[in-house]
Amino acid sequence: MHVGVDEAGKGPVLGPMVAAAVRADSNALPEGIADSKRLSPERRAELAAKLRERDDVEVGVAFVEPETIDDPETDMNLLTVRAQVEAAAEVAVDADELVCDAGDVSESRFGRRVREGIAEAGVSVEVHAQHRADDEHAIVGAASIVAKVERDRRVEALAAEYGEVGSGYPSDGTTRKFLREYVREHGILPDCARKSWSTCADLMAAHEQSSLGDF
C-alpha cells in the first residue's frame, strides 16, 4: 500500500506546523487531488472531508507547536522529519511504500531519516523522499491537503481566540499588525507566536527600545 506524507506551516510566525500521512490505494483517492497550494480553501476542505469519510483511506496527523519549534536544541529540518514520522507511523504497516515531500535540500538524507524514524516506531517501510512530491504523486498531494486543512483550522481557532491574525505568515500585513498591537498592549508575545522567528525577535527588540510608537 502507498503512504503519502507532507507538511504545512513550516514558515509561518504563528501557530503550529502540521504533518499529515495518507495511506490508500491510488484508485481510492477522490478526483481533483493536487498540491494543496493549487486549490482553494473550500476545495481543500471538501477533499479532506472525502478522504476522511472513506473506509479504504487512513489518515494520520501530527502537530509541532510553537514552543517546540522555539526549542534551541532542535531545528526545522529535524522537526519536519519527526512530524512526518509521527504522522506516518499512525497509518503505515510493514512493507508499505512511503513517498514524502522532502523537507531538506538533500532528498536522500531526508528519506533516510524518515525511514529510520519509522523503523524506531517498529515499522519497516520503503521510503522515497522527493522535492515537490505533492505535485507529482497524488497520494502526497492528498497528504498536503489534509495537512493544510488542519493548519487552517488551527489558524481559525487562533482568530477566534485573539481576533484577526491573518494567515500567520511573516509577509502578511494583518499578521504583523496583530503581533505589533499585541506586544504594544501586553508587552510580550502571544503564546501562539514562534518567538525565535526574526519577525518576533525584531518586534521585541523594538519594544524594548521604545514604546512601539513608531511601529
Side-chain angles (χ1 to χ4, degrees):
M1 191 74 75
H2 289 88
V3 179
V5 193
D6 201 359
E7 83 285 327
K10 183 184 291 187
V13 68
L14 298 180
M17 177 173 67
V18 184
V22 173
R23 182 178 188 266
D25 191 84
S26 58
N27 59 19
L29 298 177
E31 292 186 9
I33 292 291
D35 175 3
S36 62
K37 294 184 289 295
R38 300 180 183 274
L39 303 171
S40 69
E42 295 77 16
R43 183 58 173 154
R44 288 196 298 261
E46 178 185 351
L47 288 168
K50 287 183 177 180
L51 287 165
R52 289 185 175 277
E53 287 168 359
R54 294 190 62 105
D55 293 335
D56 51 357
V57 175
E58 297 178 75
V59 174
V61 177
F63 296 89
V64 183
E65 303 297 341
E67 58 267 29
T68 302
I69 293 171
D70 288 335
D71 186 344
E73 297 300 317
T74 190
D75 59 62
M76 288 305 294
N77 282 349
L78 180 58
L79 291 175
T80 302
V81 169
R82 289 178 179 173
Q84 289 202 14
V85 166
E86 182 179 345
E90 289 188 22
V91 297
V93 301
D94 286 344
D96 277 351
E97 182 175 347
L98 189 151
V99 183
C100 57
D101 193 67
D104 190 338
V105 293
S106 170
E107 295 171 328
S108 60
R109 178 172 58 198
F110 189 85
R112 172 178 53 79
R113 287 175 172 174
V114 170
R115 183 178 63 253
E116 291 172 351
I118 295 176
E120 289 178 3
V123 183
S124 176
V125 296
E126 183 178 350
V127 176
H128 303 281
Q130 181 180 339
H131 296 137
R132 301 184 64 82
D134 48 0
D135 260 341
E136 298 193 23
H137 302 274
I139 194 72
V140 184
S144 78
I145 288 169
V146 173
K148 180 60 175 169
V149 168
E150 292 298 328
R151 160 77 191 173
D152 287 348
R153 286 176 178 165
R154 290 293 296 271
V155 174
E156 290 170 5
L158 293 179
E161 179 179 357
Y162 293 100
E164 184 57 57
V165 299
S167 66
Y169 280 84
S171 60
D172 188 327
T174 302
T175 296
R176 295 197 305 272
K177 179 181 177 182
F178 160 67
L179 286 169
R180 285 196 303 268
E181 292 183 350
Y182 190 95
V183 172
R184 180 180 293 117
E185 180 178 354
H186 301 281
I188 59 173
L189 290 158
D191 290 340
C192 62
R194 302 179 185 181
K195 299 175 178 61
S196 57
W197 257 224
S198 61
T199 302
C200 289
D202 293 346
L203 187 59
M204 290 306 297
H207 176 70
E208 291 171 1
Q209 295 172 14
S210 72
S211 64
L212 285 182
D214 296 328
F215 295 87

